[in-house]
Amino acid sequence: MVQTAKVTRILHGGRAEVSVKRQSACGHDCYKCGGGCSELMVSSTVSVVAANGIGAQPGDMVTVESSTKGVLGAAVMVYVVPFLLFFIGYFTAAALGLPGGGSAGVGGIGFALGLVLAVLWDRRVRKQQSISFRITAIAAGD
């Protein structure tokens, strides 16, 4: 993902803290998606630490790139794995002759297991800081 950010301070080790304006899911075209975005969400900023290999200084507007590998992995763990485990549990129980309610119960257990796995995976990934940011260009200075 590529975003424009403002450098707020320089840190040790060739890093800088940058402030990125948070984007809404609809790209601020709320009338197209039926609203739901609050002004607080649309106007909030997030501070992250980015690798500063180009020597940007506080006040510089910069282009920041981030890896999306961690985000995509999280989406799979949260959205796909629980449903996959639900259907595996449901169809396996049905194949073993359990009635509909029993199959649904086994599927529910699979879904809950998927959620537990997603939480455990999230805790592990947060420690590793899988999303990395780096400043790639200076757009303009203040």
Side-chain angles (χ1 to χ4, degrees):
M1 179 187 302
V2 177
Q3 293 180 298
T4 301
K6 185 174 186 176
V7 178
T8 54
R9 65 184 175 130
I10 302 299
L11 304 172
H12 296 293
R15 299 175 304 140
E17 181 180 88
V18 296
S19 179
V20 180
K21 187 170 184 175
R22 177 178 277 182
Q23 298 290 320
S24 67
C26 61
H28 305 297
D29 248 347
C30 294
Y31 74 92
K32 287 185 178 178
C33 69
C37 300
S38 71
E39 285 301 314
L40 179 63
M41 164 48 188
V42 171
S43 64
S44 66
T45 59
V46 177
S47 293
V48 297
V49 176
N52 185 15
I54 63 171
Q57 295 299 311
D60 287 344
M61 294 301 294
V62 296
T63 301
V64 178
E65 291 184 9
S66 61
S67 67
T68 56
K69 181 173 61 173
V71 175
L72 294 176
V76 168
M77 284 302 294
V78 171
Y79 294 109
V80 176
V81 171
F83 286 107
L84 185 65
L85 290 178
F86 171 82
F87 287 116
I88 289 171
Y90 180 87
F91 289 120
T92 301
L96 294 174
L98 269 103
S103 297
V106 172
I109 292 170
F111 185 83
L113 176 64
L115 293 177
V116 169
L117 290 174
V119 168
L120 294 174
W121 184 83
D122 179 61
R123 288 181 182 169
R124 181 173 170 243
V125 167
R126 283 183 192 255
K127 289 179 185 176
Q128 296 173 352
Q129 295 210 333
S130 65
I131 301 175
S132 60
F133 300 90
R134 65 185 171 97
I135 298 171
T136 57
I138 299 175
D142 281 350

